Amino acid sequence: DLDYERRSEELRGKAVLSVLTFLSRRIVIGSAVKLSERALLSIAKRHMATDFDLEVVVESDQARIGESVLSEAHALLEGIEDSLSEFRENAPVYRLNHSAAGEWIGLDPDVAKRLEIAKNYFNLTEGEFNPFSRSTFSASFEDLEIDTSENRVRRRRADLHIGFGAIGKGYA
């Protein structure tokens, strides 16, 4: 609700002000006192249907480097989304979900690793963590054939749908 949003923004502003105040401190070097000025840089972007607000603290004269680091971090997040998205046509997950049953889809090693992590969590939680929740039937990893030696995967049923929402966000 609006009250909650207003209060969250208010607290966030106070937290940032507190961090900035804390970070601008005096450093004693020998008998001289030097004021160290630092900056809190923040770049927020939307990835995987989630807002990612990345922050870094840098010396004031290093602001360009900080901005570059934040931009690179967002580029990495974009790359993760590109590889794990079930909504982007170039993503292997999208291609898998739109492939014919039995058609092999190549995976890069990172996607193959996420698939193994999803399988482990599926087994550890006895199916409660379910990357197949959008399938039209009670799907499991038995409905998916994974060839780790060739980094490829195929669906055994055309109505199998896989999504990496939680795994993708956790990995990011």
Side-chain angles (χ1 to χ4, degrees):
D1 72 349
L2 290 175
D3 240 11
Y4 174 79
E5 288 178 29
R6 185 179 50 75
R7 183 70 180 138
S8 293
E9 283 299 314
E10 205 173 277
L11 289 173
R12 186 177 199 184
K14 287 179 181 177
V16 169
L17 181 60
S18 296
V19 168
L20 288 172
T21 302
F22 172 75
L23 293 172
S24 294
R25 63 179 194 262
R26 294 185 183 269
I27 299 172
V28 178
I29 302 172
S31 61
V33 175
K34 177 184 174 189
L35 183 60
S36 174
E37 294 182 25
R38 295 188 179 174
L40 175 65
L41 303 177
S42 175
I43 298 178
K45 290 188 179 179
R46 196 153 178 81
H47 305 282
M48 298 176 255
T50 302
D51 293 327
F52 283 77
D53 190 359
L54 305 181
E55 298 176 338
V56 65
V57 177
V58 296
E59 297 295 327
S60 295
D61 62 346
Q62 301 292 313
R64 285 193 186 272
I65 293 171
E67 290 171 0
S68 177
V69 167
L70 291 173
S71 293
E72 284 294 318
H74 278 293
L76 287 171
L77 291 170
E78 189 70 20
I80 292 168
E81 185 172 11
D82 281 344
S83 66
L84 297 178
S85 176
E86 60 190 280
F87 305 104
R88 293 185 178 183
E89 292 181 16
N90 62 329
V93 175
Y94 177 93
R95 290 194 320 268
L96 177 64
N97 286 337
H98 293 85
S99 66
E103 179 184 349
W104 286 107
I105 302 296
L107 303 174
D108 64 53
D110 280 342
V111 176
K113 188 181 256 185
R114 297 311 133 238
L115 191 57
E116 285 300 317
I117 290 171
K119 184 177 182 179
N120 287 339
Y121 280 114
F122 181 86
N123 292 332
L124 283 171
T125 63
E126 298 176 350
E128 291 298 317
F129 179 86
N130 188 354
F132 309 109
S133 62
R134 293 185 56 203
S135 296
T136 59
F137 65 102
S138 181
S140 74
F141 276 90
E142 297 298 317
D143 302 302
L144 195 64
E145 188 175 349
I146 304 167
D147 181 355
T148 53
S149 65
E150 296 290 326
N151 283 331
R152 61 186 188 161
V153 64
R154 66 180 170 187
R155 302 183 301 167
R156 293 192 170 135
R157 293 180 55 160
D159 55 347
L160 178 73
H161 186 95
I162 189 166
F164 281 100
I167 288 288
K169 288 175 181 81
Y171 177 59

